[in-house]
C-alpha cells in the first residue's frame, strides 16, 4: 500500500545524518524508483522504511499507520512490508526450498506449503534447484530467490535495494521484468533503489532523485527521464 | 602498619606492571590474551629454576625475558589467521599448557609443590629497611615500564596498534604490517610480564602451579577494565585499587564466621562482580581512553 | 583397546553435549560464551541440592535441566544482550566474569569438596575385557539420543530452520519476519539444557565439583572450534574424535618407538585437546565442517 515519508532523517555516520528531511510519497500499486549518485543515501532511505536503519526524525506512514518504533520483523508481519537487501539477500547454507519456507515462517503449515509451490511455479529456474543450497546459486538466481522469499508473505509493499546490482545485462532485463510482473500480477506497491537509472525508470511509474542525502526531485518517471539536468548527471545521456 | 602498607605497595606495583603489559595487548591493540599468566609464569620459573641451580637472579630475568619475548611473538603471529575470540581461547589453552608442564615436570619445576626459597632482593637488609628497599626497586621498575608503555601508546606505533584494534582491514590497506605489529606488541608485553613474574617469585620467594591458575589472569583483566581499557594511567590506577580490594578481602574471616573455603569463594566473587559491574555499567573504566569515540564502538 | 573405546564414548558424549550448545550460541550470536561450561556445573549442583531435599534422582535431574535452561535465558537477557551491545570483546570478557562468579557462588554455597548424587551401587559389567557400568551405558545412550534429536530438530522442523536462518544471516532473518530475539532465547535454553544434562550425567558417573565445568572448557572449545564453530555435526564428530585422541595418547607406549617404555603422564590428558586446538587454529581456523566467512 502507499508509503508516506514526511521530514525523514535517518542513518548516522560520524556526526552527520545520511539522509535529511525527506518528503516522499510512494503511491499504491505503483513502481517508484529512487535514483542518485553513490553515497546519496538511497539505501539508507529504503532501510528506514523496513526498520533496519530506523529514522530519527520525521514520520514514516505505511498504509495509514505510523511505523516509528516498530521493529523490522513486525513491520514485515503486521504491515505487510517485504524487503530484499542488496547483498547477503539469501540464507546461504539453506536450500532454496528452505529459504522460501523461512520467508513464510509466519504462515500456517498448509498455506506455507501452498505459497512455496506457487513460488516454484512462478520461477521455474528455482524449482529445478529446490534442494540446492542457496550459496551455490548464480547472482541472478540468488536475486530471484531473494525476491521469491520476500513474496512468500504476500506483501502489499515490496522494497528492493538495487536488484540489478552485479547482474549481467541479460539478467538485468529478466530481473526488471520480474519486478514489473510482480506488480502487474499481485498489485504490490514497489519502492526500489537503483544505480541503473535508465532501465529502472523505464519500468517505473514515479521517480525520486536523491543527491547528497537530500531530495532533489520527484515526479512521474517519464518526466524524470526527460529532464535535461537529471539526464546529464545520472542517466549518462550525452 | 608500615610493613603492611609496604607489602600492599609492593604487590600493587608488581600488579601494575602486569596490568600495563595486559593493557598494551587488550586495551590498546584489542588482543584478548586470556593466557597472560603464562608470561608471568615463564619469568617467575626462569628466575626460580636458575636460582635453585645457584645462578644469579639477573641471568634468570634475562633468560625469562628472552623466552617470554619469543613466546609472545609466536603467540602474536598465531593470531594471523584467527578471529579474536578463537585467539583468546587459544591463549587460554597455551597458558593451561604451561601450567600443566609446571605441574608435571617435577624434576625441573618442583611439581605441585613448586619451588620455594627463591632468593629475595636486598638480602643484606632486614625488616622494614628491606621492605622499603624492595618497594623502591619495584617502584622504579614500575616507572620505567610506565614510561615505556606510555611512549608506545602515544607514539606512531601506538596509533597503528589502535587502528588494528578499531579497523584491522583499514590498517592492512594502509600498508601497515598488522602481523608484525601484533607480534612485536605481544613480545614487548610478554617481556614486561616476565619481569613482573620474576620479581614476584623473588618477593614471595616461591612459585608454584597454583599461581598459574587462570584466575591470576582474570584478576589483571579486572584491573585493566576498572582502570579503563586502553588507558596507560588507568592500568596503574586499576591495579592499585584492585590490589587493595583483593588483598583487603583476605580479612573477611575476621568479620564474618565462615569456612576458609567460603572465604576464598567470597574473595573471588567480589572480583567477579566488580569486573562484570564495570563491563555493564561503566565499560570505559575509571580513566577512559581518549580516542574511543562513539563511532568507534560497536 | 576396548577400554579406550568405552572411555571415548563416555567422555566424548559429555564433551559433545556441551560443544553443540556452545557452537549453536556462537552460530547465532557470533560470540563464544566462556560461561557455557558453568551451566554443566550448575546442573550437577542443582541436582545435588534437589536430591538432598528428598526428590528422586530422575525428577531432580529433569528439574535441574529446566532450571538451568531458564537461568540461561535470564543471563542472556539481563547480561549478554547488554554486553554484546558494547562489542564481542566486552561480551567475551563478561562471560569469563560470569563464569568466575558462578563458580564462586557455588563454592560459597556447597564448599569445595566434591558432592555425590545418590546413585544405587552398581556393578560394572565385563564388556570384551573392559568394565562398563549401567550408568555409563545410560549416559552414552541419553547423550546420543539427545544429539540425534537435536540434529533432527535442526534439519527438519521450522524451529530448526529458523535457528539456521538466524545463524546464516541475522539481518535477513529479521526482515523475513522471524522474531530473532525469540529464536536466540530458544537457542540459549536448548544449549544450556544440553549443558546441564551433560553436567548431571557426569555427576552421576563420578561426582560434581566446582571445577567440573572449567575442566571441560578447553576440550569443549577444542571440539567446537575443530568441528567448525556453528556446525553441530562437526562439533559432535570432533568431540568423540578428541575423546578418542585423549584416551589413545595415554594408552600408547611411546617409549616402544625408541625401544624403551614410556607412557605419557595422565596429568597431560587435557593437553591433547590444547595441542589439537592450537594446531587446528594455526592451520585450519574454519574447522573441519566450517565454512569460510561468507554470508548469504
Amino acid at each position: 500500500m502507499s508509503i508516506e515519508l514526511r521530514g525523514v532523517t535517518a542513518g548516522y555516520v560520524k556526526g552527520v545524518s545520511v539522509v535529511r528531511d525527506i518528503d516522499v510519497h510512494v503511491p499504491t500499486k505503483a513502481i517508484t524508483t529512487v535514483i542518485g549518485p553513490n553515497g546519496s543515501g538511497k539505501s539508507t532511505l529504503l532501510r528506514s522504511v523496513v526498520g533496519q536503519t530506523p529514522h530519527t526524525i520525521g514520520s514514516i506512514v505505511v498504509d495509514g499507520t505510523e511505523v516509528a518504533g516498530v521493529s523490522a520483523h513486525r513491520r514485515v508481519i503486521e504491515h505487510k512490508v517485504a524487503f530484499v537487501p542488496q547483498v547477503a539477500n539469501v540464507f546461504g547454507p539453506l536450500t532454496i526450498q528452505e529459504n522460501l519456507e523461512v520467508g513464510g515462517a509466519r504462515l500456517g503449515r498448509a498455506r506455507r506449503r501452498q505459497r512455496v509451490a506457487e513460488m516454484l511455479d512462478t520461477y521455474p529456474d528455482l524449482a529445478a534447484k529446490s534442494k540446492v543450497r542457496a550459496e551455490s546459486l548464480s547472482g541472478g538466481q540468488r536475486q530471484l530467490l531473494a525476491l521469491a522469499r520476500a513474496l512468500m508473505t504476500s506483501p502489499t509493499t515490496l522494497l528492493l535495494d538495487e536488484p540489478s546490482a552485479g547482474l549481467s545485462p541479460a539478467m538485468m532485463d529478466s530481473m526488471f521484468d520480474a519486478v514489473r510482473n510482480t506488480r502487474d500480477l499481485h498489485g504490490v506497491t514497489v519502492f526500489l533503489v537503483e544505480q541503473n537509472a535508465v532501465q529502472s525508470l523505464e519500468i517505473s511509474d514515479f521517480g525520486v532523485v536523491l543527491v547528497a542525502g537530500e531530495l532533489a526531485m520527484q515526479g512521474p518517471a517519464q518526466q524524470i527521464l526527460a529532464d535535461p539536468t537529471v539526464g546529464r548527471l545520472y542517466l549518462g545521456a550525452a | 602498619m608500615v610493613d603492611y602498607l609496604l607489602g600492599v605497595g609492593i604487590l600493587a606495583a608488581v600488579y601494575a606492571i602486569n596490568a600495563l603489559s595486559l593493557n598494551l595487548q587488550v586495551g590498546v591493540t584489542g588482543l584478548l590474551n586470556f593466557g597472560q599468566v603464562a608470561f608471568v609464569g615463564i619469568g617467575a620459573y626462569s628466575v626460580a629454576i636458575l636460582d635453585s641451580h645457584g645462578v644469579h637472579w639477573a641471568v634468570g630475568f634475562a633468560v625469562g625475558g628472552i623466552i617470554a619475548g619469543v613466546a609472545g611473538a609466536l603467540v602474536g603471529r598465531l593470531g594471523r589467521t584467527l578471529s579474536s575470540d578463537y585467539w583468546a581461547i587459544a591463549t587460554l589453552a597455551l597458558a593451561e599448557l604451561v601450567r600443566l608442564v609446571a605441574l608435571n615436570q617435577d624434576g625441573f619445576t618442583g611439581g605441585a609443590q613448586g619451588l620455594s626459597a627463591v632468593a629475595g632482593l636486598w638480602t643484606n637488609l632486614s625488616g622494614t629497611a628491606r621492605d622499603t628497599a624492595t618497594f623502591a626497586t619495584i617502584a622504579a621498575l614500575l616507572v620505567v615500564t610506565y614510561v615505556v608503555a606510555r611512549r608506545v601508546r602515544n607514539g606512531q606505533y601506538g596509533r597503528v596498534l589502535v587502528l588494528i584494534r578499531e579497523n584491522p582491514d583499514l590498517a592492512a590497506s594502509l600498508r601497515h604490517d598488522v602481523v608484525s605489529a601484533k607480534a612485536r606488541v605481544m613480545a614487548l608485553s610478554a617481556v614486561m610480564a616476565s619481569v613482573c613474574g620474576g620479581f614476584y617469585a623473588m618477593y614471595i620467594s616461591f612459585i608454584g602451579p597454583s599461581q598459574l591458575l587462570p584466575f591470576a589472569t582474570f584478576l589483571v583483566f579486572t584491573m585493566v577494565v576498572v582502570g579503563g581499557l586502553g588507558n596507560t594511567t588507568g592500568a596503574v590506577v586499576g591495579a592499585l585499587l584492585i590490589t587493595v580490594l583483593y588483598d583487603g578481602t583476605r580479612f573477611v574471616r575476621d568479620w564474618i564466621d565462615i569456612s576458609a573455603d567460603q572465604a576464598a569463594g567470597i574473595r573471588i566473587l567480589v572480583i567477579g562482580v566488580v569486573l562484570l559491574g564495570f563491563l555493564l555499567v561503566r565499560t570505559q573504566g575509571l580513566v577512559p581512553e581518549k580516542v574511543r569515540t562513539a563511532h568507534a564502538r560497536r | 583397546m576396548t577400554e579406550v573405546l568405552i572411555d571415548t564414548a563416555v567422555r566424548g558424549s559429555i564433551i559433545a553435549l556441551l560443544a553443540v550448545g556452545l557452537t549453536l550460541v556462537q552460530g547465532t550470536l557470533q560470540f563464544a560464551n566462556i560461561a557455557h561450561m558453568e551451566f554443566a556445573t550448575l546442573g550437577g549442583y542443582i541436582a545435588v541440592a534437589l536430591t538432598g531435599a528428598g526428590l528422586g534422582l530422575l525428577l531432580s535431574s529433569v528439574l535441574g535441566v529446566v532450571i538451568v535452561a531458564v537461568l540461561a535465558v535470564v543471563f542472556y537477557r539481563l547480561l549478554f544482550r547488554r554486553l554484546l551491545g558494547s562489542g564481542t570483546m566486552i561480551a567475551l570478557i563478561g562471560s569469563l566474569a560470569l563464569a568466575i562468579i558462578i563458580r564462586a557462588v557455588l563454592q560459597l554455597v556447597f564448599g569445595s569438596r566434591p558432592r555425590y548424587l545418590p546413585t544405587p551401587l552398581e556393578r560394572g559389567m565385563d564388556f570384551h575385557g573392559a568394565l562398563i557400568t549401567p550408568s555409563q551405558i545410560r549416559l552414552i545412550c541419553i547423550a546420543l539420543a539427545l544429539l540425534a534429536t537435536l540434529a533432527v530438530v535442526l534439519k527438519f522442523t521450522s524451529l530448526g530452520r529458523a535457528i539456521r536462518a538466524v545463524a546464516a544471516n541475522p539481518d535477513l532473518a529479521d526482515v523475513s519476519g522471524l522474531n530473532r530475539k525469540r529464536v536466540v532465547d530458544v537457542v540459549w535454553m536448548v544449549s544450556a539444557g544440553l549443558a546441564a544434562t551433560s553436567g548431571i550425567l557426569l555427576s552421576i558417573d563420578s561426582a560434581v565439583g566446582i571445577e567440573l565445568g572449567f575442566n571441560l572448557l578447553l576440550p569443549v572449545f577444542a571440539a567446537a572450534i575443530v568441528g567448525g564453530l556453528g556446525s553441530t555435526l562437526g562439533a559432535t564428530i570432533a568431540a568423540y574424535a578428541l575423546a578418542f585422541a585423549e584416551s589413545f595418547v595415554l594408552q600408547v607406549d611411546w617409549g616402544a618407538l625408541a625401544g624403551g617404555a614410556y607412557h605419557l603422564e595422565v596429568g597431560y590428558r587435557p593437553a591433547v585437546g590444547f595441542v589439537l586446538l592450537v594446531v587446528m587454529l594455526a592451520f585450519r581456523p574454519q574447522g573441519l565442517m566450517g565454512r569460510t566467512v561468507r554470508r548469504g
Side-chain angles (χ1 to χ4, degrees):
Chain A
M1 293 293 134
S2 73
I3 309 170
E4 223 29 86
L5 292 96
R6 293 193 206 104
V8 168
T9 295
Y12 187 84
V13 177
K14 288 180 190 163
V16 285
S17 300
V18 180
V19 292
R20 288 173 302 280
D21 199 22
I22 305 284
D23 290 288
V24 166
H25 172 64
V26 181
T28 307
K29 295 183 187 178
I31 301 180
T32 305
T33 292
V34 184
I35 63 167
N38 266 331
S40 57
K42 305 187 296 282
S43 293
T44 304
L45 187 66
L46 200 69
R47 280 203 303 272
S48 72
V49 178
V50 74
Q52 274 202 331
T53 312
H55 63 287
T56 45
I57 305 175
S59 88
I60 296 180
V61 176
V62 175
D63 200 12
T65 319
E66 169 67 49
V67 292
V70 179
S71 65
H73 79 268
R74 280 182 51 214
R75 291 192 201 190
V76 171
I77 298 157
E78 289 163 22
H79 299 278
K80 305 213 113 234
V81 174
F83 176 59
V84 179
Q86 185 190 340
V87 288
N89 52 15
V90 296
F91 299 104
L94 275 62
T95 66
I96 289 181
Q97 168 138 9
E98 287 173 337
N99 265 272
L100 295 176
E101 284 166 343
V102 170
R106 288 309 181 96
L107 307 172
R109 180 186 288 264
R111 174 84 182 126
R112 182 165 62 229
R113 204 170 280 171
Q114 182 197 344
R115 285 298 287 164
V116 170
E118 283 170 17
M119 284 302 147
L120 293 178
D121 229 30
T122 318
Y123 305 106
D125 280 5
L126 298 181
K129 297 187 166 185
S130 69
K131 301 282 184 235
V132 169
R133 284 180 173 211
E135 61 201 357
S136 65
L137 295 180
S138 71
Q141 288 169 329
R142 276 189 196 210
Q143 202 62 256
L144 221 51
L145 173 60
L147 177 64
R149 190 226 82 233
L151 293 175
M152 278 295 292
T153 49
S154 314
T156 53
T157 308
L158 179 62
L159 310 171
L160 300 161
D161 194 354
E162 301 209 15
S164 80
L167 299 186
S168 69
M171 287 288 203
M172 264 186 215
D173 290 345
S174 63
M175 190 65 219
F176 283 120
D177 280 351
V179 171
R180 187 151 55 181
N181 286 340
T182 304
R183 194 273 310 264
D184 293 349
L185 288 174
H186 308 294
V188 181
T189 304
V190 179
F191 189 35
L192 75 145
V193 156
E194 254 306 330
Q195 197 68 250
N196 183 348
V198 179
Q199 260 189 304
S200 57
L201 284 174
E202 275 168 359
I203 63 152
S204 300
D205 303 295
F206 299 96
V208 174
V209 183
L210 219 56
V211 179
E214 282 170 12
L215 184 68
M217 187 187 292
Q218 69 176 316
Q222 293 310 318
Q223 194 180 315
I224 292 191
L225 267 173
D227 188 279
T229 341
V230 175
R232 210 171 44 247
L233 286 175
Y234 312 116
L235 304 181
Chain B
M1 190 63 193
V2 176
D3 288 347
Y4 173 71
L5 285 180
L6 275 174
V8 172
I10 292 170
L11 214 54
V14 168
Y15 272 122
I17 295 176
N18 202 344
L20 283 169
S21 158
L22 190 67
N23 182 54
L24 270 183
Q25 304 166 61
V26 180
V28 176
T29 323
L31 288 167
L32 217 43
N33 181 6
F34 283 152
Q36 170 78 349
V37 71
F39 297 142
V40 178
I42 288 173
Y45 268 104
S46 298
V47 170
I49 290 171
L50 288 176
D51 179 75
S52 70
H53 290 87
V55 182
H56 193 261
W57 55 262
V59 181
F61 271 95
V63 170
I66 290 168
I67 298 176
V70 171
L74 288 176
V75 173
R77 289 205 167 260
L78 183 66
R80 182 169 41 109
T81 49
L82 293 185
S83 71
S84 58
D85 45 351
Y86 298 14
W87 188 83
I89 302 301
T91 57
L92 182 59
L94 284 169
E96 281 292 276
L97 204 56
V98 169
R99 185 170 70 89
L100 277 180
V101 171
L103 193 61
N104 288 294
Q105 297 300 327
D106 306 29
F108 212 37
T109 60
Q113 267 71 50
L115 294 166
S116 46
V118 182
L121 280 170
W122 303 108
T123 35
N124 51 335
L125 299 174
S126 65
T128 310
R130 185 177 171 193
D131 283 351
T132 311
T134 307
F135 178 71
T137 314
I138 188 73
L141 202 58
L142 171 60
V143 170
V144 172
T145 313
Y146 178 83
V147 170
V148 171
R150 213 181 149 82
R151 285 193 72 131
V152 168
R153 171 67 185 79
N154 295 340
Q156 172 62 30
Y157 180 47
R159 281 193 287 276
V160 174
L161 294 178
V162 171
L163 186 63
I164 289 173
R165 178 189 74 202
E166 296 295 339
N167 196 338
D169 294 336
L170 180 61
S173 73
L174 291 175
R175 291 173 180 274
H176 293 305
D177 187 343
V178 173
V179 176
S180 145
K182 280 184 185 175
R184 279 185 292 155
V185 78
M186 287 302 298
L188 174 65
S189 313
V191 171
M192 287 180 178
S194 85
V195 169
C196 152
F199 199 93
Y200 181 72
M202 290 179 79
Y203 172 60
I204 65 165
S205 79
F206 169 74
I207 184 70
S210 57
Q211 261 127 349
L212 302 188
L213 286 167
F215 182 73
T217 301
F218 181 77
L219 196 59
V220 186
F221 259 88
T222 309
M223 295 169 180
V224 174
V225 170
V226 167
L229 279 166
N231 190 300
T232 312
T233 309
V236 178
V237 171
L240 181 63
L241 290 176
I242 297 301
T243 306
V244 170
L245 177 68
Y246 187 61
D247 197 66
T249 50
R250 271 197 299 153
F251 306 110
V252 66
R253 289 185 74 193
D254 298 352
W255 300 87
I256 30 178
D257 181 32
I258 45 172
S259 71
D261 245 15
Q262 288 171 317
I266 286 185
R267 293 186 72 194
I268 296 172
L269 182 63
V270 167
I271 298 299
V273 168
V274 167
L275 176 58
L276 195 57
F278 264 84
L279 288 173
L280 285 170
V281 180
R282 198 175 162 86
T283 319
Q284 73 276 32
L286 293 175
V287 194
E289 187 191 20
K290 284 174 199 80
V291 299
R292 284 202 165 216
T293 51
H295 72 268
R297 304 289 296 283
R298 282 206 292 156
Chain C
M1 205 58 204
T2 328
E3 225 171 285
V4 171
L5 290 182
I6 293 173
D7 197 43
T8 301
V10 172
R11 187 158 162 91
S13 299
I14 296 294
I15 297 175
L17 285 176
L18 282 157
V20 291
L22 184 71
T23 222
L24 272 180
V25 169
Q26 157 78 26
T28 41
L29 291 175
Q30 323 303 322
F31 140 73
N33 180 18
I34 295 179
H36 183 70
M37 272 44 69
E38 306 309 322
F39 294 145
T41 323
L42 270 174
Y45 274 109
I46 291 174
V48 163
L50 291 176
T51 50
L55 296 182
L57 181 60
L58 182 64
L59 182 61
S60 303
S61 305
V62 172
L63 274 176
V65 171
V66 172
I67 293 171
V68 171
V70 171
L71 215 54
V73 175
V74 173
F75 285 145
Y76 168 60
R77 292 218 180 155
L78 293 185
L79 302 177
F80 288 108
R81 256 192 214 166
R82 197 179 164 125
L83 290 170
L84 282 163
S86 308
T88 27
M89 188 170 107
I90 299 297
L92 208 59
I93 305 177
S95 73
L96 182 63
L98 178 65
I100 301 261
I101 290 174
I102 293 176
R103 231 176 292 158
V105 168
L106 288 175
Q107 185 170 341
L108 211 56
V109 177
F110 294 95
S112 64
R113 297 237 316 277
R115 304 286 289 259
Y116 299 88
L117 281 165
T119 44
L121 216 59
E122 285 172 335
R123 189 186 299 199
M125 295 178 295
D126 183 78
F127 182 78
H128 295 281
L131 277 185
I132 185 163
T133 64
S135 77
Q136 285 176 327
I137 297 175
R138 265 198 299 277
L139 182 156
I140 297 165
C141 291
I142 292 173
L144 288 177
L146 286 174
L147 291 168
T149 310
L150 179 70
V152 169
V153 166
L154 281 177
K155 183 74 192 144
F156 296 110
T157 67
S158 51
L159 172 66
R161 214 161 42 224
I163 291 174
R164 284 186 292 137
V166 170
N169 193 333
D171 287 339
L172 190 64
D174 255 353
V175 297
S176 296
L178 285 180
N179 189 341
R180 177 161 40 145
K181 281 183 185 164
R182 196 176 299 162
V183 171
V184 174
D185 279 352
V186 172
V187 166
W188 276 77
M189 278 176 94
V190 170
S191 17
L194 290 173
T197 311
S198 173
I200 293 169
L201 288 173
L202 184 57
S203 310
I204 293 172
D205 187 43
S206 49
V208 52
I210 300 295
E211 302 289 311
L212 180 144
F214 178 73
N215 289 338
L216 287 165
L217 178 82
L218 291 168
V220 168
F221 260 102
I225 294 175
V226 168
L229 277 170
S231 161
T232 48
L233 178 64
T236 307
I237 295 171
Y240 285 101
L242 173 63
F244 178 75
E246 282 183 350
S247 194
F248 184 74
V249 164
L250 294 181
Q251 289 280 328
V252 167
D253 181 0
W254 294 102
L257 296 175
Y262 176 75
H263 284 271
L264 212 58
E265 307 242 7
V266 181
Y268 279 119
R269 177 174 193 141
V272 179
F274 311 162
V275 172
L276 201 61
L277 177 66
V278 172
V279 168
M280 198 71 181
L281 287 174
F283 296 106
R284 196 179 153 80
Q286 74 273 32
L288 283 180
M289 312 286 277
R291 42 193 84 244
T292 43
V293 181
R294 196 174 74 184
R295 290 275 181 83

